[in-house]
Amino acid sequence: MRTDRTLVDTARAIASGTTTSQEVMDAVLAVADATEPDVHAYVALDEGAARAAARAADATPAPERGPLHGLPIGVKDLIATAGLPTRAGSQSWARSYPIDDAAVVRRLRAAGGIVIGKQHTHEFGYGLDEPPTRHPLDPTKYAGGSTIGGAVSVAVGSSLAAIGTDGGGSIRKPAALHGLVGLKPTHGLVDTAGVVPGTTSNDHVGWITTTVADSALLLAALADLGPVRTDEGVAGLRVGCAGYFFRDLEPAVDAAVRRSLDLLAAGGAEVVWLEIPELEQAAEAHGIIGASGAAAHHRDVPADVRAGYSPGVQGFLAQAGRITKDEVARAHRVRDDVLRAVDAALETKRLDVLCSPTLALGAVPLATMRPEVDLPRYCRLTMPFNLTGHPSVSVPCEHGDKPVGLQVAARHGADATTLRVAAAVEAHTVARAAAVARG
């Protein structure tokens, strides 16, 4: 039921006059009306305000239009949006209506984007409860991390992109499970002011899109980078593959990622296999830093409000509150060690990017899912780059009923390089899917 519109193509169509923002909004809201009873991507659709904004966009003179002019985009429930609920996935915060936009929402609106609504997340982004959102390919399967509503919305076409947060893989994980592109920019590149803290210093603001070009458009608009090119190919680039990321993979995941690596090599990239032993410590340090930050954030929340948190979140925060200062200090030293090791590998091996699977496994059945067991398995390959702050993007390397994501990471500030490699992977994946369709 999706509209089959990308951000880039829709922006061009609006600019050329072949469509209007109102027509785009009508189409997207029609998809939302048809799909929401099944997928539940939205906490709140702001239909009236979105239609009014589309009318205003069509009346705006061309010289005053921004790069996201008239494009309907969803926003995660952890991100403050003036006049709309920002309940952080929690029933205890159900009456929270901010009077100010988060910094990223202000940038979005200033660039001409239209907030179509707020999208479901796990409570505080922790992944310890079950939102109502369901995977459109199979509602019995896990639909991803805490930017779950955004991924499902983009997948069905009830928004053209989704702004979310990523504290341990919460953008890249659902993107991979839905065959979408999920970018976690360099830490701090996109302002987190006005975002409900999930795992504090691990948190990043990013987005989920249909294509790499769409992600580049948002990067240019929301990070003030100017045009971001993704069409330069991979000839001459050195692609690192660390052994840590290639253990205990589902066979289909391993095969799809290695096929993409072979295609990158055929395109002129050099694939370099290496080891970064310090990565083995990343998961534990990430967990301690994130949990201690979460405990600190909720420490001053009134007891009657905390009493309304889900049992999983209450138990997590109680355990997090017992983490000692010495444990946190050791975790930060490990963070520094992992950061130095990744940077040293990039430098000494002269690597442009690190490539890996985004996830070690596909979507598991909700009925048998155990968060305490399965979430660490899902986040093992994504969380190192939250700990270190390097930019990383998940791009589909296999479409169909069982999508597979390939993760591309790069030096701090080299976000455009991750998208350049992702675009090459995307081109191979699209070509292969077209060949399969032709038989």
Side-chain angles (χ1 to χ4, degrees):
M1 291 197 181
R2 57 170 295 109
T3 61
D4 292 322
R5 295 174 184 264
T6 70
L7 279 179
V8 169
D9 289 344
T10 304
R12 288 172 179 162
I14 292 173
S16 68
T18 56
T19 192
T20 67
S21 180
Q22 291 175 80
E23 290 170 341
V24 173
M25 188 64 68
D26 286 344
V28 170
L29 287 171
V31 174
D33 185 60
T35 59
E36 274 301 289
D38 297 317
V39 301
H40 311 293
Y42 284 91
V43 177
L45 268 167
D46 200 15
E47 182 173 346
R51 290 190 187 279
R55 289 194 296 271
D58 288 337
T60 302
E64 299 175 19
R65 296 181 174 186
L68 304 179
H69 178 80
L71 301 175
I73 296 171
V75 176
K76 188 175 182 176
D77 192 27
L78 287 175
I79 300 173
T81 311
L84 281 174
T86 301
R87 48 193 287 274
S90 178
Q91 291 299 324
S92 289
W93 289 23
R95 297 182 180 179
S96 175
Y97 283 73
I99 60 172
D100 296 317
D101 285 331
V104 67
V105 177
R106 290 198 300 271
R107 292 295 298 262
L108 178 69
R109 296 193 203 271
I114 298 174
V115 175
I116 189 173
K118 298 300 288 294
Q119 296 168 331
H120 276 295
T121 181
H122 293 281
E123 189 170 24
F124 305 115
Y126 298 155
L128 299 171
D129 67 324
E130 185 180 317
T133 310
R134 291 295 177 264
H135 201 305
L137 293 177
D138 185 346
T140 70
K141 296 289 184 66
Y142 178 57
S146 70
T147 310
I148 182 173
V152 169
S153 174
V154 176
V156 300
S158 61
S159 66
L160 298 190
I163 307 300
T165 62
D166 190 314
S170 297
I171 284 172
R172 291 159 290 160
K173 183 166 57 174
L177 292 174
H178 292 84
L180 300 169
V181 177
L183 176 65
K184 179 195 76 63
T186 298
H187 188 260
L189 184 64
V190 181
D191 197 339
T192 58
V195 176
V196 177
T199 53
T200 58
S201 61
N202 296 327
D203 288 344
H204 299 63
V205 171
W207 40 83
I208 295 174
T209 59
T210 305
T211 68
V212 174
D214 287 357
S215 191
L217 177 62
L218 285 172
L219 182 63
L222 302 181
D224 199 25
L225 295 182
V228 177
R229 292 191 62 181
T230 63
D231 59 353
E232 297 173 308
V234 295
L237 297 185
R238 287 171 60 84
V239 175
C241 296
Y244 170 87
F245 295 104
F246 287 84
R247 295 199 313 268
D248 303 322
L249 305 180
E250 284 188 352
V253 171
D254 192 35
V257 171
R258 289 178 186 272
R259 183 168 51 244
S260 289
L261 293 173
D262 288 343
L263 290 168
L264 290 176
E270 183 178 356
V271 176
V272 180
W273 291 88
L274 70 154
E275 296 294 335
I276 306 177
E278 290 82 358
L279 288 170
E280 302 292 343
Q281 307 173 67
E284 183 179 5
H286 175 279
I288 291 172
I289 292 170
S292 64
H297 173 67
H298 290 275
R299 191 166 290 134
D300 295 329
V301 174
D304 61 326
V305 176
R306 289 176 56 134
Y309 293 177
S310 67
V313 168
Q314 291 193 44
F316 165 70
L317 291 175
Q319 185 175 4
R322 293 191 285 271
I323 296 172
T324 68
K325 291 182 179 179
D326 285 345
E327 289 173 319
V328 175
R330 283 196 297 272
H332 277 282
R333 289 195 292 272
V334 170
R335 180 203 286 270
D336 292 341
D337 290 343
V338 176
L339 173 58
R340 281 193 294 267
V342 173
D343 281 343
L346 290 166
E347 183 66 27
T348 60
K349 299 290 186 179
R350 296 180 292 108
L351 303 175
D352 296 284
V353 295
L354 291 167
C355 282
S356 72
T358 306
L359 307 175
L361 67 165
V364 300
L366 287 170
T368 57
M369 184 175 179
R370 294 177 296 164
E372 69 279 7
V373 174
D374 291 319
L375 287 179
R377 293 175 67 203
Y378 273 118
C379 296
R380 184 177 71 85
L381 308 185
T382 54
M383 68 172 60
F385 300 120
N386 291 90
L387 191 68
T388 65
H390 292 93
S392 61
V393 60
S394 179
V395 60
C397 62
E398 184 70 51
H399 281 302
D401 293 339
K402 296 181 179 179
V404 175
L406 183 145
Q407 180 174 229
V408 186
R411 290 174 172 81
H412 291 92
D415 300 63
T417 304
T418 69
L419 294 182
R420 174 182 171 185
V421 175
V425 173
E426 177 182 68
H428 295 315
T429 306
V430 170
R432 182 170 181 272
V436 170
R438 290 194 300 269

